Amino acid sequence: MKKSFLFINCDEAKHICDKVQYGEASSWERFKLNIRLAYCHITKSYSTKNSKLTESIEKAEVKCLKAEERNKIENQFKAELAKQQQNH
């Protein structure tokens, strides 16, 4: 089957949709995605859910541990685990 120059399949559309969410899609990819969104309800639904997920994550203002904090906790865990294994 010959691959179309302008039209993309659903899997490719989902991949481009993910790239758009992270600002990694080219203008040509966005154009092809918009064509797909005009006629495919599955891709449109995926895009809508993806946008809502991205919006929720941005609103959550998740704070992560710094690398040194994570390493400190990991070392404490390993030390406690070693103590527990010695006692048994």
Side-chain angles (χ1 to χ4, degrees):
M1 184 175 190
K2 184 179 176 186
K3 186 173 180 178
S4 175
F5 175 70
L6 189 58
F7 295 99
I8 55 177
N9 64 31
C10 223
D11 289 332
E12 189 175 354
K14 289 176 182 179
H15 179 69
I16 293 172
C17 183
D18 292 340
K19 288 173 70 174
V20 167
Q21 293 295 321
Y22 294 105
E24 298 173 349
S26 68
S27 56
W28 178 245
E29 288 174 321
R30 288 192 306 267
F31 178 74
K32 292 192 300 185
L33 177 62
N34 284 330
I35 290 173
R36 179 81 186 187
L37 289 171
Y39 67 88
C40 179
H41 71 283
I42 295 171
T43 303
K44 193 180 295 184
S45 174
Y46 181 86
S47 179
T48 301
K49 289 176 185 178
N50 205 12
S51 296
K52 287 180 182 178
L53 175 63
T54 300
E55 185 179 314
S56 296
I57 290 171
E58 288 173 354
K59 283 183 180 178
E61 296 181 16
V62 176
K63 297 191 179 9
C64 298
L65 291 174
K66 295 178 183 169
E68 63 248 4
E69 293 171 329
R70 188 179 69 79
N71 288 336
K72 181 180 176 183
I73 292 171
E74 186 177 353
N75 290 336
Q76 288 174 341
F77 176 77
K78 287 179 181 177
E80 288 297 322
L81 184 60
K83 285 181 191 176
Q84 291 296 320
Q85 289 176 346
Q86 287 177 355
N87 291 337
H88 290 308

